[in-house]
Amino acid sequence: MPSPTHHANADSRHLGFPHRHRIRHWVSRCPHLALFILLFALTACAPKPIEVADDSSFARNSFSTEIPFADPEMIRLHEANLTHEYIIGSGDLLTVDIWNRPKLSGEHVVGPYGNITLPMLGEFKIGGMNRKKAAKLITGLYKEFYEEPIATVKIIKYMNNRVYVLGRVANPGVIHFSGQATLLEALSLAGGLPTRDKTIFLSKCYIVRGKDQIIWIDLLKLLQRANLKLNISLANNDIIYIPESMDAAVFVMGEVENPGSYQIQTTGLSMLDAINLAGGPTEDAQTGKVRLIREMPEQEGVKTIDMDHMLATGNLTQNFLLLDNDIIYIPKKGVATFNYYLRQIDPFLRTFISATIINESLKD
């Protein structure tokens, strides 16, 4: 006849509590699980998330308003001060030709400080000028030695007209232009988006111009909607930075077919959009109690949303547009959700998610 100890051990195995030596074995083999259990113990006493009122920061504010994208009118203002003549600078290869004076003519590479060396004149600072202005000044200097000299300046290789394309492109680095450059040309020459992950797209970029200008461009409108009014002309030494599209993401967890992280497009991603991207609710989903969890100024806030009522009535006022790092959690029907959550979520995905969802689960 089995002993009471045997029954206790059988019960403990049934409930999922292994022997002490098995616990030590799990800790040694699964340090991430051990850390998650520790996080659960620490978050058990964490404050419950705030149930947010309808007139709160969960209002339907588009994600796109979080970034001050330049509209066509603003882009025209940024382009108004651009020069449309090439400015000579360091690295340019050019010729200075003095008519009928072959000994004075020749090729020059503009030095790092914008200087070239001219016969009889010595060092001449040509950097910062266009061709016409440089030719006029050189002509004036040679008038001291020759009667009616005529100087012309030709650029053979353009090296000063450059922009820097950095971030999420195939070939980040310096791009040189022979004339007026645009954002689309720069992105094309930088190789566009690397193809190792087809789920990542170009969604936004910013241009740093000088010391006091940052210009945000909505690449979805420019590239996917062909709004060429956003194809801004570039200035010399502009820095174009394309951040990772995954920098803005939401998490769809719980009873959905494909729980995980999903990107926010700058045109806005709603709660229903995100659930659809995650494959939709499972048969066991408690869709009458969908939780939308958002980081608030001091702790998390949560909205409990009756998705069944929303779809049945067509009232989409609670189909909130999502913000970066929002979490959508769909609990399971009729059972505590923590065990499901423990099996599904990576404990290193977001540390604060555990406290929020555990607290929400304990209320069920």
Side-chain angles (χ1 to χ4, degrees):
M1 181 175 182
S3 66
T5 304
H6 176 81
H7 285 298
N9 290 339
D11 290 342
S12 67
R13 286 194 296 272
H14 177 71
L15 294 172
F17 295 100
H19 294 294
R20 291 182 179 178
H21 71 277
R22 291 177 66 190
I23 293 174
R24 287 194 296 269
H25 176 70
W26 283 15
V27 170
S28 63
R29 294 290 300 274
C30 306
H32 290 185
L33 177 60
L35 180 56
F36 183 73
I37 292 171
L38 176 60
L39 286 174
F40 172 60
L42 291 175
T43 58
C45 298
K48 292 182 179 181
I50 300 170
E51 186 72 25
V52 179
D54 288 338
D55 57 352
S56 69
S57 59
F58 276 79
R60 290 176 55 84
N61 294 323
S62 172
F63 172 75
S64 62
T65 62
E66 297 297 303
I67 298 176
F69 288 118
D71 57 24
E73 180 62 30
M74 186 176 295
I75 286 175
R76 285 195 292 271
L77 292 175
H78 283 297
E79 292 176 334
N81 295 326
L82 294 180
T83 177
H84 296 285
E85 294 184 339
Y86 183 78
I87 302 301
I88 298 169
S90 60
D92 284 342
L93 176 62
L94 50 84
T95 61
V96 176
D97 183 58
I98 309 300
W99 182 74
N100 209 24
R101 306 284 179 183
K103 291 185 178 180
L104 302 179
S105 305
E107 290 187 354
H108 303 268
V109 176
V110 181
Y113 300 103
N115 297 327
I116 59 175
T117 301
L118 295 174
M120 300 181 64
L121 298 179
E123 200 168 81
F124 175 73
K125 186 172 180 61
I126 198 172
M129 304 180 189
N130 59 38
R131 294 188 306 109
K132 291 181 180 179
K133 182 177 181 180
K136 183 177 180 180
L137 288 176
I138 292 171
T139 297
L141 292 173
Y142 275 118
K143 281 184 178 180
E144 296 184 13
F145 306 97
Y146 302 99
E147 185 177 347
E148 296 185 356
I150 300 175
T152 57
V153 176
K154 297 179 182 179
I155 301 171
I156 300 173
K157 189 173 183 180
Y158 297 85
M159 296 299 292
N160 182 54
N161 200 15
R162 57 184 178 265
V163 297
Y164 303 87
V165 184
L166 306 174
R168 189 79 172 92
V169 289
N171 303 302
V174 182
I175 295 177
H176 298 275
F177 293 96
S178 58
Q180 183 65 60
T182 66
L183 177 59
L184 281 180
E185 290 175 297
L187 294 178
S188 176
L189 291 173
L193 185 70
T195 57
R196 66 174 184 268
D197 188 347
K198 295 182 180 180
T199 66
I200 299 177
F201 48 84
L202 293 176
S203 62
K204 57 185 178 291
C205 76
Y206 61 79
I207 300 167
V208 179
R209 179 168 295 172
K211 296 181 180 180
D212 55 3
Q213 293 186 63
I214 296 178
I215 309 165
W216 278 95
I217 303 295
D218 187 338
L219 292 181
L220 283 179
K221 291 182 179 179
L222 174 60
L223 300 176
Q224 295 185 14
R225 299 184 181 182
N227 186 351
L228 296 182
K229 292 181 180 179
L230 302 179
N231 186 26
I232 187 170
S233 297
L234 301 175
N236 192 26
N237 290 316
D238 273 355
I239 300 172
I240 303 166
Y241 183 78
I242 297 96
E244 294 277 357
S245 293
M246 287 296 291
D247 285 351
V250 298
F251 302 89
V252 186
M253 308 305 300
E255 286 296 329
V256 289
E257 295 293 341
N258 302 299
S261 173
Y262 293 90
Q263 301 160 20
I264 296 179
Q265 299 185 11
T266 55
T267 52
L269 184 74
S270 73
M271 185 194 74
L272 291 180
D273 291 333
I275 293 173
N276 183 59
L277 288 174
T282 67
E283 292 183 358
D284 295 327
Q286 189 176 1
T287 49
K289 289 188 175 182
V290 177
R291 272 63 177 257
L292 173 57
I293 302 159
R294 178 168 294 173
E295 289 183 281
M296 307 293 281
E298 297 189 6
Q299 69 175 86
E300 292 80 49
V302 62
K303 290 287 291 183
T304 301
I305 299 164
D306 188 341
M307 195 169 80
D308 296 334
H309 182 266
M310 182 192 304
L311 298 178
T313 62
N315 183 355
L316 300 180
T317 56
Q318 286 194 311
N319 184 28
F320 299 106
L321 290 172
L322 302 176
L323 302 181
D324 193 13
N325 288 329
D326 277 355
I327 306 159
I328 298 167
Y329 181 72
I330 302 181
K332 193 172 184 177
K333 291 178 182 176
V335 297
T337 57
F338 172 66
N339 286 336
Y340 175 83
Y341 179 74
L342 179 62
R343 292 194 303 271
Q344 294 294 325
I345 196 168
D346 179 352
F348 291 94
L349 181 65
R350 294 272 307 279
T351 55
F352 89 82
I353 297 178
S354 57
T356 301
I357 295 182
I358 289 168
N359 277 319
E360 284 295 291
S361 302
L362 291 176
K363 294 196 296 183
D364 291 339

